[in-house]
Amino acid sequence: MMYEENYYNQDSDLVKINDSSQSNPIIIYAHQLNQYYHTLLGNPFERLKYYDSSIEQYHFYRTPDIINYIITYYLYHGCLLTEIHYPVEILYDELVFFGFNIQIIYDIISNCITIDYYIPSGKLNIILLQI
């Protein structure tokens, strides 16, 4: 028996995401995003509002380079890497915009100085800042 019913064209699953600060889009598989349906990027219907058919990309006019930070949540299986380069107010607004769970937002904002990354189980890996 052929695997025709299980054939999956991975190229058709590619999603291109860009913000106003990047010349090249981030390319990620839709199934990676769709695993986190509760977020803006994970919900195909919500994500569609930002699709620009003229450039065949999802385009977000947000804080420059924030998409590089946000995309780590999908690439690292629900772990949000936090190399904080943004004021807390901006980071909070972006996490809310992209539909992150309030508990994740609270944990990141309240620990943004010392957090290395957030793991969904609630365990935090802490790094010490050297001054």
Side-chain angles (χ1 to χ4, degrees), residues 102-114:
I102 194 66
Q103 186 61 48
I104 294 172
I105 294 172
Y106 174 78
D107 288 346
I108 291 170
I109 298 300
S110 64
N111 296 300
C112 68
I113 307 269
T114 59

Side-chain angles (χ1 to χ4, degrees), residues 63-123:
T63 302
D65 294 321
I66 195 70
I67 200 70
N68 293 323
Y69 169 72
I70 297 297
I71 209 72
T72 64
Y73 185 77
Y74 306 93
L75 295 174
Y76 295 104
H77 308 288
C79 297
L80 188 59
L81 299 184
T82 55
E83 297 177 5
I84 305 297
H85 301 290
Y86 304 99
V88 174
E89 298 82 10
I90 290 175
L91 183 59
Y92 175 83
D93 288 344
E94 296 297 340
L95 291 171
V96 168
F97 174 81
F98 283 101
F100 282 86
N101 177 297
I102 194 66
Q103 186 61 48
I104 294 172
I105 294 172
Y106 174 78
D107 288 346
I108 291 170
I109 298 300
S110 64
N111 296 300
C112 68
I113 307 269
T114 59
I115 189 169
D116 185 20
Y117 56 88
Y118 174 82
I119 299 176
S121 66
K123 297 179 183 175

